[in-house]
């Protein structure tokens, strides 16, 4: 269907109950049945232009790769949205395969390749919701916004008296019915000796594969150690002597420089 303008034959042997199926498919009928798929391509290009820090006038040339770009309808949509004639100077199949192979080698620790500046971004924002002890939502925060670069990690601080339950979900529409990524429980967490909330540090990360993980969590507790008055006085006297020695050394050094 990429080059032929005439209809092509379709033959399926023993399709059902030993019955053979045969027919013909023209390009017009093919594009009619796949209209919604082609419109998804148009919508994707329009969204890219909307989020890009440049306009159509700033684009000098358009090079297309991939097997699906051989379909005339794909080329037509790209040219209609970008207002540029599509160039096909690269091998449509090898260019994609080589790019995927190079990216795999960059991510793998077993290969050493030339450094390339490739920044991956999250396709949808990610938010965290934390819950109270009774199960109600205590608050939420978008930790990674849409188009945020990854891999990237953030350290979050919470003040809790009981276990911390976090639920991660996407904030923007995704091509899936389930937007919840997962639920994480951090514990055991107990209040301080005076009954106040405990400081909890949680490190969340989007790894090189674009997967959100809770990498680590720990509590920060203040401990007061009683010190005898005599030891305090000894420390004060020691600090005073150290300060006086430092002053004398500084003065001697300044005199030598002069």
């Amino acid at each position: 269907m990429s080059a032929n303008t005439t209809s092509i034959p379709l033959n399926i042997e023993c399709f059902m109950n030993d019955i053979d199926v045969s027919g013909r498919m023209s390009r017009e009928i093919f594009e009619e049945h796949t209209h919604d798929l082609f419109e998804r391509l148009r919508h994707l290009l329009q969204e890219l232009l909307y989020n890009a820090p440049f306009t159509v006038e700033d684009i000098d040339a358009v090079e297309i790769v991939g097997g699906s770009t051989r379909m005339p309808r794909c080329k037509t949509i790209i040219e209609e949205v970008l207002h540029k004639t599509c160039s096909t100077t690269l091998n449509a199949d090898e260019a994609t395969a080589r790019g995927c192979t190079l990216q795999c080698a960059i991510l793998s620790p077993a290969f050493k390749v030339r450094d390339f500046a490739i920044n991956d971004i999250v396709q949808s924002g990610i938010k965290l919701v934390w819950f109270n002890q009774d199960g109600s939502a205590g608050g939420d925060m978008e930790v990674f916004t849409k188009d945020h670069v990854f891999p990237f990690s953030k350290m979050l601080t919470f003040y809790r008296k009981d276990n911390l339950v976090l639920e991660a979900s996407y904030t923007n529409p995704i091509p899936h019915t389930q937007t919840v990524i997962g639920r994480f429980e951090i514990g055991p967490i107990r209040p301080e000796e005076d009954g106040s909330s405990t400081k909890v540090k949680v490190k969340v990360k989007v790894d090189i594969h674009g997967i959100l993980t809770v990498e680590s969590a720990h509590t920060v507790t203040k401990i007061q150690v009683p010190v005898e008055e005599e030891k305090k006085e000894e420390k004060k006297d020691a600090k005073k002597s150290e300060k006086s020695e430092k002053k004398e050394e500084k003065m001697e050094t300044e005199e030598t420089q002069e």
Side-chain angles (χ1 to χ4, degrees), residues 192-194 196 220-228 232:
E192 298 283 357
E193 294 181 356
D194 58 357
S196 61
V220 180
T221 305
K222 293 182 179 180
I223 301 176
Q224 295 182 355
V225 180
V227 181
E228 297 178 1
K232 289 183 179 180

Side-chain angles (χ1 to χ4, degrees), residues 5 39 52 82 88 91 127 131 145 147 149 175 205-206 226-230 238 249 251:
T5 57
E39 288 304 311
L82 302 181
T88 56
N91 187 304
K127 73 173 182 178
F131 297 89
T145 58
D147 298 333
V149 178
K205 179 180 180 180
V206 177
V227 181
E228 297 178 1
E229 294 295 331
E230 296 180 356
E249 291 176 358
M251 291 175 62

Side-chain angles (χ1 to χ4, degrees), residues 42-53:
R42 185 189 300 275
H43 176 71
L44 175 62
L45 293 173
Q46 292 172 347
E47 184 179 1
L48 289 174
L49 282 177
Y50 177 78
N51 295 323

